[in-house]
Amino acid sequence: MGSDGGYSLTEIFAIKFVLADIVIIAALLFAGPIYAVAITVLLVISVFLVWYLTERVGSDDTESEPVREPVDPVTELQNRYAAGELSEAEFEAKLEHLLDSNDRAERAGVETRELSLERER
């Protein structure tokens, strides 16, 4: 069994082949060779269909870009300053502007996310 509690794709195919063998042998014994051949063909087609669909779905997942978590404005500003995109004066001015905006929104009763940095008083 897979590490997340489910079955891996390989385990699912192995289980499917064991069950298919049982069905084919039962059809051969009880219904005759024509039914056994028909069931075998249907099972082989279903295996290829499952394989094709899993490959197609798997390729769509790898092409999509990962979803980025939203970063609060102060953290984004700190990251830009650390990357050298902002000078110390620009950083402090923008930080002051963010804190003023947060204070104005708070006084107006507008619901905002709390900034991760408190104003030094």
Side-chain angles (χ1 to χ4, degrees):
M1 208 187 276
S3 61
D4 62 353
Y7 291 104
S8 71
L9 192 57
T10 306
E11 292 168 330
I12 291 170
F13 275 116
I15 292 168
K16 183 174 177 114
F17 279 119
V18 169
L19 293 174
D21 288 343
I22 294 169
V23 169
I24 291 168
I25 291 169
L28 186 57
L29 290 174
F30 298 116
I34 294 175
Y35 291 106
V37 170
I39 290 172
T40 303
V41 169
L42 288 174
L43 289 172
V44 168
I45 290 171
S46 71
V47 167
F48 282 116
L49 183 62
V50 168
W51 172 79
Y52 172 74
L53 292 175
T54 55
E55 287 295 315
R56 183 173 174 194
V57 170
S59 66
D60 289 347
D61 291 343
T62 58
E63 292 174 7
S64 64
E65 293 192 21
V67 177
R68 289 183 53 197
E69 291 286 324
V71 178
D72 70 284
V74 173
T75 304
E76 183 67 32
L77 196 59
Q78 289 170 335
N79 290 340
R80 289 182 60 199
Y81 177 67
E85 296 176 17
L86 299 173
S87 68
E88 186 174 348
E90 290 172 320
F91 171 75
E92 289 176 2
K94 289 181 182 292
L95 181 61
E96 187 67 30
H97 179 72
L98 281 174
L99 293 172
D100 286 342
S101 297
N102 191 49
D103 289 344
R104 283 194 307 272
E106 207 172 89
R107 284 192 302 271
V110 176
E111 185 72 25
T112 62
R113 291 186 306 167
E114 286 293 316
L115 295 176
S116 63
L117 184 65
E118 293 290 323
R119 180 191 302 273
E120 292 181 23
R121 300 206 190 255

